[in-house]
Amino acid sequence: MTIFQKIIDREIPADIVFEDDEVLAFRDVNPQAPTHILVIPKKPIVSVAEAGPADAALLGRLLLVAAEIARQQGLEEGGYRLVTNVGRDGGQSVFHLHVHLLGGRPMGWPPG
Ligand code: AMP
């Protein structure tokens, strides 16, 4: 079981900023920007590489929820970054699909 499943199941605490039947969003415990929120499906999908056609609407919802949270957090004017890491070279460390919402500072490109 991943640490994010434990957050979904309320076995460990998290600073939750959004929740509905399908999606949970909470603050990253090790923030890389003034605002760093993780948006995850409650369905235990490992990464976008493991998602299938039946998950298309759910994947779309993750982005829409992330955009709505960004709006609520006051990030829309300055902009923000959405990232989903996949596998070893992508830098994925928790194997439950998540979209990072990062904002509140300028982001460099390309990422290191
Ligand atoms: P990734 O490296 O893309 O898999 O991102 C995993 C993210 O989860 C990292 O930014 C971690 O800081 C974050 N993280 C790990 N454990 C927790 C936790 N218990 N609560 C909130 N964020 C966490």
Side-chain angles (χ1 to χ4, degrees):
M1 179 187 285
T2 69
I3 195 139
F4 290 175
Q5 189 63 52
K6 290 181 179 175
I7 290 173
I8 293 167
D9 294 342
R10 301 300 203 273
E11 289 179 23
I12 61 169
D15 186 354
I16 292 170
V17 298
F18 174 87
E19 180 170 26
D20 68 12
D21 289 349
E22 296 183 315
V23 177
L24 186 68
F26 52 90
R27 293 190 187 278
D28 196 294
V29 77
N30 183 24
Q32 301 301 310
T35 299
H36 188 174
I37 290 167
L38 302 171
V39 184
I40 73 170
K42 290 187 173 176
K43 181 178 176 181
I45 302 168
V46 172
S47 73
V48 289
E50 306 281 332
D55 300 312
L58 180 57
L59 296 184
R61 283 218 63 232
L62 294 179
L63 295 182
L64 291 173
V65 168
E68 179 56 29
I69 294 170
R71 203 169 293 126
Q72 290 171 1
Q73 298 285 324
L75 298 175
E76 201 169 57
E77 187 184 347
Y80 53 88
R81 181 167 293 172
L82 302 178
V83 175
T84 186
N85 296 325
V86 180
R88 185 192 59 225
D89 285 356
Q92 186 175 9
S93 62
V94 178
F95 292 91
H96 182 121
L97 174 62
H98 49 284
V99 175
H100 295 259
L101 165 60
L102 297 141
R105 66 166 173 82
M107 301 290 153
W109 192 265

